[in-house]
Amino acid sequence: MSKQAVFDCHTHIAEMSHLSGPFLAAAQRAWGADFHFACTIDEHKAAVASCSGAIVLAVDAPATGFVVPNEYVAGYVASSPSRLFGFASVDPKRPKASRLLEQAIKELNLKGLKLAPIYQDFHPLDNICFPLYAKAEELRLPVMWHQGTSFVSEGPLEKSRPAALDPIARAFPNLKMIIAHLGHPWVEETISVVRKHPNMYTDISALGSRPWQMYNAIILAIEYGIEDKLLFGSDFPFSTPDETLRSLYGLNEMVEGTRLPRIREDVIERMLARNTVELLGLN
Ligand SMILES: [Zn+2]
């Protein structure tokens, strides 16, 4: 396992009171009626203790009942400003969404924007969203997209395709964007967008529990030559950074004894050593 501490670009904090409606019901269906979203501030601190730092995401998704306020994230990351970087979240359908984003950055010292169309119920190409993208570009904020599937039945899958981000990347070439979870299950579509645009990245978070998908995703990223745009992330609490590292190192064991290609060690080591803070301009 890698000796140096890794940076986790994708983590959540939340209290149970931040969950309601469709999100909570779907979580209880998936993980039982006594489902506990184990990502309180103390649980987060313990999970990222071995990391060099982490991005902590707010979520403004009243449409599906997942609302982690910007203030809550800001209060926590302020306790460790050299290691923790909070991303604001703003539902683009809110009146004066751009103003809300600017306030979250300037008054709460947050460092990026988290968007999740499948939870927030908007289409990325809806005209009402473009002022928000322009504001993010103006403020030099990276935008982290959950552009992939979800366990929440009510979430609109048709608004969650990675290819929908291509026109945004063309309209805002300086805007740094990250497609979370390699856009699972649309890994190929994600790679096609990331490959085209110098300022687009993707993270490997949440893929560890599906090692065959994670293996194929990384092999494909190498075949398309975008392996240096892969960011390490866990999607805590869905998995911890340590679990994600173990998954990553287990991939080559899975194909041991077969003639399938191994993931090159140097690709993994470069991903783990990547300076995400500098790359995304978080400082
Ligand atoms: Zn996430």
Side-chain angles (χ1 to χ4, degrees):
M1 223 178 249
S2 181
K3 301 281 184 298
Q4 77 196 104
V6 294
F7 186 87
D8 189 335
C9 80
H10 192 131
T11 69
H12 295 275
I13 55 169
E15 306 284 337
M16 282 304 286
S17 60
H18 295 143
L19 308 182
S20 62
F23 190 97
L24 182 58
Q28 287 170 334
R29 271 200 306 278
W31 296 291
D34 57 351
F35 165 74
H36 167 63
F37 205 42
C39 56
T40 61
I41 284 170
D42 284 342
E43 287 164 324
H44 186 277
K45 267 185 201 161
V48 303
S50 59
C51 296
S52 64
I55 288 173
V56 185
L57 304 165
V59 181
D60 185 21
T64 53
F66 187 11
V67 179
V68 180
N70 293 333
E71 290 78 4
Y72 178 73
V73 169
Y76 171 47
V77 298
S79 68
S80 188
S82 62
R83 283 182 71 236
L84 300 178
F85 303 88
F87 274 31
S89 184
V90 178
D91 182 342
K93 301 189 303 303
R94 287 191 189 278
K96 301 184 182 146
S98 304
R99 232 185 106 66
L100 292 173
L101 176 62
E102 188 155 16
Q103 277 170 353
I105 302 311
K106 293 186 174 165
E107 292 168 22
L108 299 175
N109 202 26
L110 296 174
K111 304 292 183 185
L113 172 64
K114 161 75 172 179
L115 292 173
I118 200 164
Y119 296 120
Q120 294 173 308
D121 192 18
F122 72 93
H123 195 287
L125 298 179
D126 189 324
N127 283 336
I128 62 158
C129 303
F130 278 69
L132 191 61
Y133 308 147
K135 181 56 75 177
E137 189 183 53
E138 177 198 320
L139 298 173
R140 297 170 189 255
L141 302 176
V143 181
M144 163 85 73
W145 290 86
H146 179 108
Q147 214 54 5
T149 190
S150 160
F151 59 93
V152 179
S153 311
E154 287 79 357
L157 210 48
E158 73 279 9
K159 298 176 180 173
S160 205
R161 298 297 298 242
L165 305 187
D166 184 51
I168 301 168
R170 282 185 273 131
F172 301 98
N174 297 319
L175 183 62
K176 292 188 175 176
M177 296 195 275
I178 309 110
I179 302 177
H181 323 313
L182 267 137
H184 78 106
W186 300 302
V187 170
E188 294 172 347
E189 196 171 306
T190 297
I191 289 173
S192 72
V193 183
V194 170
R195 179 196 191 198
K196 286 182 72 198
H197 300 290
N199 281 320
M200 287 211 77
Y201 301 88
T202 182
D203 78 46
I204 65 154
S205 69
L207 300 185
S209 58
R210 300 182 188 91
W212 182 240
Q213 185 183 48
M214 192 188 219
Y215 165 83
N216 280 280
I218 296 175
I219 290 288
L220 200 62
I222 295 168
E223 287 179 344
Y224 274 99
I226 65 136
E227 67 270 25
D228 286 327
K229 298 172 98 182
L230 297 175
L231 306 181
F232 177 84
S234 66
D235 202 22
F236 176 78
F238 295 101
S239 65
T240 66
D242 288 343
E243 286 164 352
T244 307
L245 279 173
R246 277 198 292 278
S247 303
L248 196 53
Y249 281 108
L251 299 178
N252 282 335
E253 287 169 27
M254 186 173 64
V255 298
E256 196 72 54
T258 74
R259 300 182 72 174
L260 291 166
R262 290 174 62 83
I263 297 170
R264 293 192 338 253
E265 308 290 337
D266 66 291
V267 169
I268 296 177
E269 292 307 319
R270 283 207 305 283
M271 187 197 319
L272 299 180
R274 193 143 292 133
N275 191 339
T276 300
V277 172
E278 194 179 284
L279 199 68
L280 300 181
L282 304 180
N283 269 335

